Amino acid sequence: MLAVDINPALTVASHENPAVRLDFITGLIDGLGPGPAGTHLELVDDLGRHLAVFRPRGGPHRVIDIDAGIDVTPQFAAVAPSVDVLARSGLDPATASRLLRLDSGQIDRGSGTGTDDDPRARRLAVLDQGPLWAAAEQLAAARARLAALTDGRPGSGVERARAFAAATEAHTASGRAAAAHGRILRSGLGLAGILAAAAVVLVLVDSLLEDDRWTARALLILAAVAVVVTVADFGTVHRARRREHRAVAAAGASSYDELVASLGPLADEGAVSAVLAAAAEVEPLEARFADVSEGVPVEWALANRRAVAALARQRTQAIPYLGMDLATAVGPVADSARVLVDRVMQLRDVGSTHERFPLVLDEPFIGLDATAATALLETVRRLAAGHQIVLVTGDAGTESWAAAAASAAGDVSLVRLGKVTPVPAPPPAPRPEEAAPAPGTAGPAARWAVDA
């Protein structure tokens, strides 16, 4: 019979053959489930009972409370034909395997899928959540106010409002230039006419005056200057009208009247002012959120707020287990450490019975450099101080780490799979009337054994 004693804290089980490791992991998890004949298990439940699960070949499967010496099989056989610790928590073997087992691909968050694995979520989760969501809510509210003024199209509405404002400004400037030119035209032509008339009068009465021809010429010159100035001012009007035409064309119309007709209610000075004021409110808030969120779009952040907040909580609860280096780190190693913490937290409260189940790590740190692997192994060791973990590996470096840790303290055990260990025979079945009445919660395994 092959038997493995499992440390209440951390057990590192090693073997160079992947098939042997897989058989051990499968047998360990199946041992908590319906389990094949020949697979036996000793465990301690959350009530402190020392239980033994026996699955003899050719005989009934039983669960024995070893300390009390009573058969408690009915507590674990009501859901399935054979005894099943997992079924008491509502777990089937496939679900339990996904929950209890973690391999290197699952631990490497960068290779996963879903919101928690999105780099944007990880980026937001490390930020101060208070300022982050305050900035997001303020920006969302400002955008909503702007959208209400622009028929739900804040981008195009703001652009049209700005174009209309520019066209209105150019149209107003053109009108002012035309009005000013009209005044100059009337004044200039009037003055030129008066001067010309005076010159004519002087020419007609030159017999009455001495040397008045020079005076008449001066008056005619002044009249000509007045006409030139008046005509030259028309250039100002022409330039103002060209600016208006360009502004109107930029707004998508051929004339200002057409632009006003196309905008409808927006073609109102008060509405345009309100839109531009709302846009002026949005712009600094967008810059602030971009700075706070490190460039993550606010729409994505708000749509995934619950997942980001959950990831942030996971990071917070992971801090005591990560050590100073990983607690403040951002990167794949820190992310992997947080995945480990998150899974352990899940396994502390499983199913309707809120039972605690061990975590099984399947060659978790393969391919990592020695520094990263050691940091994650120390994280596992800290987690195992409050939750049972079984780490199965074929890596020589992990085995060496476990050997050193096992010799230094009792919280780590190194087991080399394949060693045959004698296992005591099952105790005799107690009488039915001695069965314990109240079911308890299944806890960490103390020994796993399979018939050789």
Side-chain angles (χ1 to χ4, degrees):
M1 179 173 286
L2 175 65
V4 176
D5 288 324
I6 300 176
N7 195 302
L10 175 60
T11 300
V12 176
S14 70
H15 199 281
E16 65 279 1
N17 189 338
V20 173
R21 298 197 300 269
L22 179 60
D23 286 345
F24 174 67
I25 293 171
T26 303
L28 183 61
I29 296 176
D30 285 351
L32 290 169
T39 301
H40 315 292
L41 197 70
E42 290 184 23
L43 54 89
V44 178
D45 70 3
D46 286 349
L47 297 178
R49 296 185 302 174
H50 187 190
L51 305 177
V53 178
F54 291 104
R55 296 185 177 92
R57 302 181 187 277
H61 297 182
R62 294 178 290 155
V63 181
I64 306 298
D65 184 334
I66 295 176
D67 296 331
I70 57 177
D71 190 332
V72 292
T73 303
Q75 299 176 19
F76 299 92
V79 183
S82 61
V83 295
D84 190 341
V85 177
L86 296 173
R88 283 173 37 80
S89 296
L91 297 178
D92 58 77
T95 302
S97 180
R98 290 193 297 269
L99 182 62
L100 273 62
R101 179 183 176 186
L102 269 179
D103 60 24
S104 60
Q106 294 168 301
I107 291 174
D108 178 11
R109 188 180 289 278
S111 67
T113 58
T115 302
D116 287 355
D117 302 299
D118 193 300
R120 293 170 293 185
R122 300 202 301 273
R123 198 183 315 163
L124 294 180
V126 303
L127 304 175
D128 190 335
Q129 298 295 291
L132 171 67
W133 299 118
E137 290 169 357
Q138 290 173 3
L139 176 55
R143 283 186 173 177
R145 289 191 291 271
L146 179 58
L149 295 171
T150 57
D151 297 328
R153 298 175 297 178
S156 61
V158 171
E159 292 167 2
R160 296 179 71 192
R162 286 173 175 161
F164 178 69
T168 299
E169 181 181 358
H171 177 72
T172 302
S174 176
R176 289 173 179 168
H181 178 69
R183 290 191 297 271
I184 292 173
L185 182 63
R186 289 190 298 272
S187 301
L189 292 180
L191 178 60
I194 293 171
L195 293 172
V200 170
V201 170
L202 288 175
V203 170
L204 292 175
V205 297
D206 59 354
S207 60
L208 301 176
L209 299 172
E210 294 183 357
D211 200 20
D212 54 358
R213 291 181 180 179
W214 294 107
T215 304
R217 289 173 182 172
L219 291 174
L220 289 174
I221 291 172
L222 289 174
V225 170
V227 171
V228 170
V229 170
T230 301
V231 173
D233 182 67
F234 182 73
T236 302
V237 178
H238 180 67
R239 289 190 294 273
R241 286 177 178 172
R242 281 195 301 174
R243 284 196 297 270
E244 177 186 355
H245 291 158
R246 287 196 296 268
V248 169
S254 59
S255 69
Y256 184 75
D257 291 339
E258 179 186 330
L259 176 61
V260 171
S262 68
L263 291 176
L266 187 59
D268 175 80
E269 186 175 348
V272 171
S273 299
V275 169
L276 296 180
E281 180 187 10
V282 166
E283 288 171 351
L285 291 175
E286 286 179 333
R288 176 190 171 200
F289 182 78
D291 182 58
V292 170
S293 67
E294 299 183 355
V296 176
V298 68
E299 298 85 358
W300 189 94
L302 290 172
N304 296 280
R305 179 171 182 172
R306 180 174 296 180
V308 171
L311 190 57
R313 286 194 297 273
Q314 293 168 12
R315 292 178 64 89
T316 300
Q317 68 182 156
I319 289 174
Y321 305 102
L322 298 180
M324 291 303 296
D325 292 339
L326 291 179
T328 57
V330 176
V333 176
D335 288 338
S336 295
R338 293 182 180 97
V339 173
L340 290 167
V341 176
D342 183 36
R343 184 59 62 89
V344 166
M345 297 305 169
Q346 286 182 269
L347 291 172
R348 288 182 177 179
D349 187 3
V350 177
S352 57
T353 53
H354 307 288
E355 296 181 5
R356 176 184 297 236
F357 284 95
L359 172 63
V360 181
L361 298 176
D362 180 7
E363 195 66 278
F365 310 132
I366 190 72
L368 293 180
D369 61 73
T371 301
T374 300
L376 291 173
L377 285 168
E378 290 299 334
T379 300
V380 169
R381 187 174 185 176
R382 282 189 288 269
L383 284 166
H387 192 95
Q388 188 176 56
I389 297 176
V390 179
L391 193 159
V392 185
T393 184
D395 177 63
T398 301
E399 185 174 340
S400 298
W401 176 88
S407 63
D411 61 340
V412 180
S413 296
L414 174 60
V415 175
R416 293 179 174 85
L417 299 175
K419 182 180 179 181
V420 177
T421 303
V423 176
R431 295 187 300 273
E433 60 270 17
E434 294 176 340
T441 54
R447 167 169 289 195
W448 173 83
V450 62
D451 293 344

